[in-house]
Amino acid sequence: MEVFSDKEQIAHVIEGFKEQQLTIGFVPTMGALHKGHLALVEKALENNNKVVVSVFVNPTQFNNVDDLKKYPRTLEKDVLLLETVSKDILIFAPSVDDIYEGNTVSQHFNFDGLEHEMEGKFREGHFDGVGTVVKRLFEIVKPDNAYFGEKDFQQLQIIKKLVSKYFIPVNVIGCKIHRETNGLAMSSRNTRLTENQKKQAPFIYKTLKSAKKFFGTKSANWISKWVDTQFINNEVLKLEYFIIADINSLKQISRKTKNTKYRAFIAVYAGDIRLIDNIALN
Ligand code: PAF
């Protein structure tokens, strides 16, 4: 297991792999790894000769300074966890300066409107930050395949857009959401939940499953209103948004059309911890 903090060094090693025609699988993360991340790493190991995992808490994608400060940073634990999957993984844990070279600002992107939906409305500049760091990481790691979880489904669609707009030769692979046995979507932020919040949080997925059940017979508007009422009296979980959207445009729908795939998306606060989740509806 090798941990690189210097981008030139890891780029040099990767260059050597490329010369030997070895394929590179890449799992970008912000650390505080959990089983969901490990599943991405396992998939990358299955399908590539070499696997790189980046651990980098990207400041430009946080629109809330407090959230950035409190984001869990557990590199030593992350390394040990990755070792349980394979010792043949390259970990890239750069500094902010290494990535941003003294100018910690985002590039501005046009993702054909995907960036203005859902998370884009509530986290200003978030996808510029994600686009900036993922583009830079792709330039350093030059992966053949890159793996992202569907929990951040909007992010996944935006990264697919990024590679197609900038002709980045990487295959972006979405992987299914990993859940705790109680249904809560795995997230690095879950470690910050109190016992009571942990007990309540599975209600988020329970609500999504009900929305899916209703989707066959009820309108999108009806379901949205129903979800609103479910959270009105909840003392612990505060609903930020629930929407049903076309998976390609990510635009909220009021009416279903044939041959279109939909997902329900939700964002909820438990105290100051923001949890997101989504479910395929058809
Ligand atoms: O999903 C994440 O953990 C981050 O948004 C990513 C893709 C690693 C970019 O910082």
Side-chain angles (χ1 to χ4, degrees), residues 42-59:
E42 272 161 9
K43 199 151 186 188
L45 284 162
E46 265 167 41
N47 296 315
N48 300 275
N49 301 118
K50 293 287 173 187
V51 169
V52 178
V53 177
S54 64
V55 175
F56 179 65
V57 181
N58 173 35

Side-chain angles (χ1 to χ4, degrees), residues 4-18:
F4 296 83
S5 57
D6 184 276
K7 65 175 181 232
E8 316 288 346
Q9 261 176 22
I10 195 163
H12 180 70
V13 172
I14 290 169
E15 206 48 55
F17 293 154
K18 296 256 167 196

Side-chain angles (χ1 to χ4, degrees), residues 27-31 37 54 56-58 61 71 126 129-130 133-134 137 148 152 155 159:
V27 182
T29 82
M30 296 207 298
H37 292 116
S54 64
F56 179 65
V57 181
N58 173 35
Q61 71 187 75
Y71 201 87
H126 172 66
V130 170
V133 78
V134 171
L137 290 169
F148 295 86
D152 297 292
Q155 169 175 280
I159 289 163

